[in-house]
Amino acid sequence: MTSDRDREKAEVPTTNPVAATPTSTSTSTSPPSIPIPIPISQPSLQSPKPLLHRRIYTFLTWTPPRCRWDPSHPPQFSMSMNILFAFAAGFTVANLYYNHPILNVLARDFGVEYEKVAQIPTVMQAGYAAGLLFLCPLGDLLPRRPFVVGLVGFTCAMWLGLCITHNLSVFTAISFIVAITTVTPQLMLPLVGDLAPPHRRAAALSVVVSGLMLGILVARVLSGTISNFTTWRAVYWMAFGLQTLIFASLWLFMPDYPSTNPSGLNYFQLLWTIVQMLGKHPVLVQACVVGFFTSSTFTSFWTTLTFLLAGQPYHYTPLTIGLFGLIGIAAMLLGPFYARTVTDRFLPHLSVLVGLGCCLVGICLGTYLGTFSIAGPVLQAFLLDFGMQTAQIANRSAIYAVEPRRRNGVNTAFMVATFCGQLVGTAAGNHIYARAGWIGSGSASVGFIGCAILTMCVRGPKEERWLGWRGGWSMVKKNKGSADGKTEEVAHHTEGQRGDEEMGAQKKVLEEVEVESGIEEPSKEGSVVEKERGSEKSGRSSGEDEVRPVKI
């Protein structure tokens, strides 16, 4: 018995799991068990989700070699680039207007009342306003190329949901999200202000704005026409294809541009500085007030025009009313030529007054002739579109010069005022038309445009304060190479180069003075002195020693 117990005690350590571990100090001569390697769980750390996310991010942020930023060779603004931005702006903002002519078709297809579908345009306008206020300022914080391309790609992906969903609530929610990211045209316009030469800025902006307004008109015409012959989903699939084309075009050809926020402001500071701008720059406030009143007349006209043409004495069909909007194409095509020949050569104040004058004449003709002659609304459509575009381009050309590094913030302030004017014009136009008819709503527009003209008259083109005409009445630019005629601008990417050029010119003048003083080889002597100073002060960079003029 004793031997059996001793044998059991001797066998216990061999079966103990703790003793079998690699840390055991047993001196048994039996071969040790093979330990399990610790790094066996390392491959599981690389899950496929981060890899997929990283691939998408790398794809969106990759830049073709010809579009990459090179400070020594910055991108040259060309007509092809201008047309690309105009195409992208036009068919991106069109996303907001495809649903306008087909709301009754959407109500029938979703099986709901018209009132439930009528909220979609309002929801999209609210989303667009949110994007203007909260996304556009990011253009001063982030590099524009990956930001714009990413927004277009996200819009394209979300638009696919609009094409396939059969639930009205989901359709409305996606429409709101898509409207928020449809503000990419308002990011392209400040970029055009950065890339285009100051003396050609108005013409370049006019091309993009013409494309933007053309997209608004074409969206309504295409949507109404296609829906008459096929389903409304064909319109949205067409829009999805256009968004995909825009994404591919921008990804391949949009130039890279560095961030214009060297001071390192955060997002909330950027939003606060927009409010501060309104207290520092009278020309910005003047442009915002004019944009508010001008846009209110534009939306009031196009909203109430449908009621006029559908009733007595015209009784036009919806298709004819939709084609009526094509009149504005002539005004949009004329806008870039006017901007290049007039706006770029004279002070923007002149073009704003010309544009507002065209709006006033058009509104008067359309209001007091429209009840018995179709010529009145036709002339109003042409003159109002041309006048509003002319005034808007001139105002943008002026306000983009006030803070060159904060053009997205400046554009945000201007567009928020313009958007508020659109909302007021739509609400006031419908309300007044219901009470006083076409002449009543048109007379209100005359008052709106009169307030805009008064705003331009209380402050002159060369006035630096809030009121007055100090500086004279002349509309001729003092500085032909500037956008507003008085502010000499330098592109962000050439500021350092210009500083080097100025130092080089200063050094050249000093050398000429030295030659006149009797020193035969100043450059040679100067180089020797520079080398000696560079050896004595090794802590300074070589670039600073080269540009510092030598005193002999």
Side-chain angles (χ1 to χ4, degrees):
M1 294 296 292
T2 303
S3 60
D4 293 337
R5 290 178 180 176
D6 294 339
R7 188 180 300 109
E8 291 175 0
K9 291 180 180 180
E11 291 176 355
V12 167
T14 60
T15 60
N16 189 358
V18 177
T21 58
T23 60
S24 177
T25 58
S26 177
T27 57
S28 176
T29 58
S30 60
S33 58
I34 300 175
I36 299 175
I38 295 177
I40 193 171
S41 61
Q42 287 184 355
S44 63
L45 295 177
Q46 298 178 354
S47 59
K49 291 184 179 179
L51 288 177
L52 180 60
H53 180 271
R54 184 178 296 274
R55 289 176 182 176
I56 295 175
Y57 178 79
T58 303
F59 175 78
L60 291 176
T61 57
W62 183 81
T63 305
R66 63 180 176 277
C67 300
R68 293 174 184 172
W69 172 251
D70 184 3
S72 60
H73 296 86
Q76 299 296 323
F77 191 76
S78 60
M79 181 55 67
S80 59
M81 191 185 301
N82 207 344
I83 294 175
L84 171 63
F85 287 164
F87 174 80
F91 286 101
T92 299
V93 78
N95 296 337
L96 302 173
Y97 300 95
Y98 286 121
N99 58 71
H100 285 197
I102 59 174
L103 292 177
N104 58 335
V105 180
L106 292 174
R108 184 173 63 250
D109 187 77
F110 283 108
V112 297
E113 297 180 356
Y114 179 80
E115 287 77 10
K116 293 184 177 181
V117 177
Q119 66 182 351
I120 294 176
T122 305
V123 167
M124 295 196 76
Q125 291 295 328
Y128 187 71
L132 284 175
L133 188 58
F134 298 110
L135 285 185
C136 285
L138 288 174
D140 291 329
L141 184 65
L142 305 173
R144 250 75 62 88
R145 175 187 160 87
F147 186 40
V148 171
V149 172
L151 286 179
V152 174
F154 180 81
T155 303
C156 184
M158 295 299 298
W159 195 268
L160 185 61
L162 296 177
C163 299
I164 62 178
T165 185
H166 293 273
N167 187 292
L168 180 60
S169 299
V170 175
F171 188 91
T172 305
I174 296 177
S175 297
F176 176 76
I177 297 174
V178 167
I180 295 177
T181 57
T182 306
V183 295
T184 48
Q186 302 305 326
L187 295 169
M188 295 177 187
L189 286 169
L191 181 59
V192 171
D194 290 334
L195 294 173
H199 64 283
R200 296 284 304 278
R201 181 180 298 161
L205 289 173
S206 182
V207 172
V208 179
V209 172
S210 296
L212 191 148
M213 298 182 68
L214 184 63
I216 296 175
L217 295 181
V218 171
R220 292 171 174 170
V221 173
L222 288 178
S223 181
T225 304
I226 295 175
S227 299
N228 282 338
F229 302 99
T230 182
T231 176
W232 66 269
R233 295 187 185 273
V235 178
Y236 275 71
W237 280 112
M238 176 198 68
F240 175 76
L242 289 171
Q243 287 297 298
T244 305
L245 178 61
I246 292 171
F247 172 77
S249 301
L250 294 177
W251 187 73
L252 290 173
F253 302 109
M254 184 177 180
D256 195 11
Y257 200 84
S259 173
T260 58
N261 183 28
S263 57
L265 296 176
N266 59 39
Y267 176 68
F268 298 101
Q269 289 174 334
L270 288 175
L271 293 179
W272 175 243
T273 55
I274 296 176
V275 180
Q276 292 178 328
M277 288 179 188
L278 297 175
K280 293 191 301 182
H281 304 294
V283 65
L284 177 59
V285 176
Q286 187 180 33
C288 289
V289 174
V290 172
F292 175 88
F293 286 116
T294 308
S295 60
S296 64
T297 61
F298 181 81
T299 55
S300 176
F301 168 72
W302 287 106
T303 302
T304 57
L305 179 66
T306 303
F307 304 139
L308 174 69
L309 299 181
Q312 294 181 355
Y314 304 110
H315 300 288
Y316 287 159
T317 63
L319 180 60
T320 304
I321 296 174
L323 294 175
F324 196 87
L326 296 178
I327 299 173
I329 294 180
M332 296 173 193
L333 295 178
L334 183 61
F337 294 100
Y338 177 87
R340 185 165 185 174
T341 56
V342 179
T343 308
D344 277 332
R345 296 185 178 183
F346 296 91
L347 295 178
H349 203 94
L350 174 64
S351 294
V352 175
L353 289 175
V354 171
L356 295 179
C358 291
C359 291
L360 180 61
V361 173
I363 293 172
C364 291
L365 292 176
T367 299
Y368 304 112
L369 296 178
T371 55
F372 58 88
S373 174
I374 195 61
V378 169
L379 291 173
Q380 182 174 356
F382 175 80
L383 292 174
L384 186 62
D385 286 356
F386 174 76
M388 192 191 75
Q389 180 178 350
T390 299
Q392 188 180 92
I393 294 302
N395 274 326
R396 287 181 186 273
S397 184
I399 63 178
Y400 281 174
V402 296
E403 292 198 22
R405 290 188 177 274
R406 293 300 320 282
R407 286 188 177 125
N408 285 276
V410 170
N411 188 70
T412 298
F414 180 72
M415 284 307 302
V416 167
T418 301
F419 183 80
C420 291
Q422 292 177 0
L423 295 180
V424 171
T426 301
N430 292 332
H431 182 74
I432 297 175
Y433 187 91
R435 292 178 174 269
W438 173 257
I439 295 180
S441 63
S443 299
S445 295
V446 172
F448 288 151
I449 209 68
C451 292
I453 295 175
L454 179 63
T455 303
M456 294 303 300
C457 291
V458 297
R459 184 178 180 275
K462 301 176 183 178
E463 177 60 61
E464 299 295 336
R465 301 180 184 179
W466 292 95
L467 299 174
W469 281 74
R470 299 174 185 86
W473 296 72
S474 176
M475 298 292 179
V476 180
K477 285 185 176 182
K478 290 183 178 179
N479 189 342
K480 301 294 183 182
S482 65
D484 61 352
K486 53 187 178 180
T487 305
E488 186 176 359
E489 300 179 46
V490 181
H492 312 314
H493 53 266
T494 61
E495 288 181 352
Q497 299 175 5
R498 180 167 182 175
D500 295 340
E501 292 176 359
E502 290 178 353
M503 294 299 297
Q506 182 181 1
K507 185 176 180 180
K508 186 176 180 181
V509 171
L510 290 175
E511 291 177 353
E512 293 177 355
V513 172
E514 292 168 357
V515 171
E516 293 178 358
S517 301
I519 301 175
E520 296 179 355
E521 296 181 353
S523 60
K524 189 173 181 180
E525 295 177 4
S527 62
V528 173
V529 175
E530 286 179 359
K531 290 181 180 179
E532 293 177 355
R533 291 191 176 184
S535 60
E536 293 175 357
K537 301 179 181 180
S538 57
R540 296 181 179 178
S541 62
S542 59
E544 293 176 348
D545 291 336
E546 290 175 0
V547 298
R548 182 177 289 106
V550 180
K551 297 181 180 179
I552 299 178

